[in-house]
Amino acid sequence: MQTFSALDAISPAIARTRLMLFSPFRLGRSWKIGVTGYLAFASTVFLPFPLFYISAATQLARQGHRHIATAILLAVLVAFALFAYLFYVFSRLQFAFFDMVLHRELFVAPAWRKYGPQTWPWIGAKLVFGTLFLLATVAPFMPAVLRAFHELDSLQVRMAPGQPPPPGFILDLFFFELLLFAVFGLVFIFDSMLTDFVLPSLALEATSLREAFRRFWGLVRNEPLQMIAYIALKTGLTLGGYILVGIAYIGVILLFLVVAGLVFGLGYLLLHALHVGSGTMAVLGFGIAFPAY
């Protein structure tokens, strides 16, 4: 087996992607592979964001709105159950997507059935390590975050409507957002490394979780510079990919707006000539534009 460095692996990876999606190009197959990869990527980081709304329920309960707080709490529990189920589905799809790319398989179902036993240890590892990593990175900053929320409550009491908040609060809010993105990025990199270096051992050889992590740690210990280079390259390529996707998305939206502007402009002139009221035209325009968008 040929061994690649982090830099040497970029060209073969791009070539493999081109082979999977465009050799030959079939819209249905490429769409299915893309959707499977997208959903598998959704399980990279375990961030149970529905639990965030428990804080809103707690605040409402303190203000005496116990029925509303109870309803919110029940909705949060239902949302979290759905979130956990989707996390299981997407985590199992990581194995299916890996198998499809490795063997150039065309169907998801056979790969889905193949990796059932490996899914549960894999999910357990991501839950444990993701939670511990989040606690280790977020816990030191929690006092500052709670102080910022307390300051926001006091500002709402002291400030008159329309009065801007003090510059210090804006700076604290910016710092909090920057910290949030930094923590999320670190968690993503950490869980992404597990996907790249632990999952293959589970999928290809059905090793135990301990053995898969032992191999991963051995690789980190024996080739630390290559691992750092891999992380840096993957982070840079990911950011570059997101920028390109954003540019393409904006281009599609602009094209849509130009075409839609022409269609709606002609439609407006036609309906206006037929003496259709403005309210009716607004309803028709929204009913067409929203589904199209």
Side-chain angles (χ1 to χ4, degrees):
M1 179 184 293
Q2 184 178 0
T3 303
F4 292 103
S5 67
L7 189 62
D8 295 335
I10 295 177
S11 294
I14 294 175
R16 188 68 174 183
T17 303
R18 187 166 57 246
L19 181 68
M20 288 293 298
L21 297 178
F22 304 109
S23 299
F25 174 73
R26 295 189 180 93
L27 181 61
R29 185 188 68 174
S30 297
W31 179 87
K32 180 170 60 176
I33 293 173
V35 169
T36 305
Y38 184 81
L39 296 179
F41 176 79
S43 68
T44 301
V45 179
F46 179 73
L47 291 175
F49 66 90
L51 298 180
F52 173 79
Y53 295 97
I54 292 179
S55 60
T58 304
Q59 189 70 18
L60 287 171
R62 289 176 180 175
Q63 296 174 358
H65 306 290
R66 297 187 179 276
H67 295 294
I68 300 177
T70 302
I72 291 178
L73 184 60
L74 290 175
V76 166
L77 293 177
V78 172
F80 179 73
L82 178 62
F83 178 89
Y85 173 73
L86 291 177
F87 185 75
Y88 160 76
V89 172
F90 298 159
S91 296
R92 192 163 175 176
L93 279 178
Q94 282 187 310
F95 287 98
F97 180 68
F98 177 79
D99 189 83
M100 291 172 69
V101 173
L102 184 67
H103 301 294
R104 295 194 67 191
E105 293 290 340
L106 303 180
F107 301 101
V108 180
W112 170 273
R113 291 191 292 264
K114 187 187 302 184
Y115 296 106
Q118 293 95 321
T119 302
W120 290 109
W122 174 240
I123 291 177
K126 290 201 292 183
L127 291 178
V128 171
F129 284 96
T131 303
L132 291 178
F133 194 89
L134 276 175
L135 290 175
T137 52
V138 173
F141 303 98
M142 281 307 295
V145 173
L146 294 176
R147 188 167 58 250
F149 280 114
H150 178 72
E151 184 179 345
L152 178 61
D153 290 335
S154 62
L155 281 174
Q156 290 177 346
V157 175
R158 298 196 311 264
M159 290 172 53
Q163 180 182 352
F169 178 77
I170 299 296
L171 187 62
D172 290 341
L173 185 62
F174 174 76
F175 175 74
F176 173 70
E177 292 180 354
L178 186 63
L179 176 66
L180 186 66
F181 280 109
V183 170
F184 181 81
L186 289 174
V187 174
F188 165 77
I189 292 173
F190 177 78
D191 281 359
S192 176
M193 298 302 288
L194 298 185
T195 302
D196 293 343
F197 294 101
V198 175
L199 183 142
S201 295
L202 299 175
L204 295 177
E205 303 177 54
T207 62
S208 65
L209 199 60
R210 175 179 295 184
E211 174 62 18
F213 274 100
R214 188 192 65 80
R215 295 180 181 181
F216 174 49
W217 176 244
L219 188 62
V220 174
R221 188 176 59 249
N222 295 330
E223 301 183 16
L225 295 180
Q226 287 290 337
M227 190 63 66
I228 293 173
Y230 180 86
I231 293 173
L233 286 170
K234 182 167 186 176
T235 303
L237 290 173
T238 301
L239 292 175
Y242 273 117
I243 292 172
L244 291 176
V245 169
I247 293 173
Y249 177 76
I250 292 174
V252 171
I253 291 298
L254 290 176
L255 179 62
F256 168 77
L257 290 177
V258 170
V259 175
L262 292 174
V263 172
F264 278 97
L266 294 174
Y268 172 78
L269 293 176
L270 177 62
L271 293 175
H272 183 72
L274 296 174
H275 304 288
V276 177
S278 300
T280 304
M281 284 194 286
V283 173
L284 289 173
F286 181 81
I288 297 173
F290 185 75
Y293 176 78

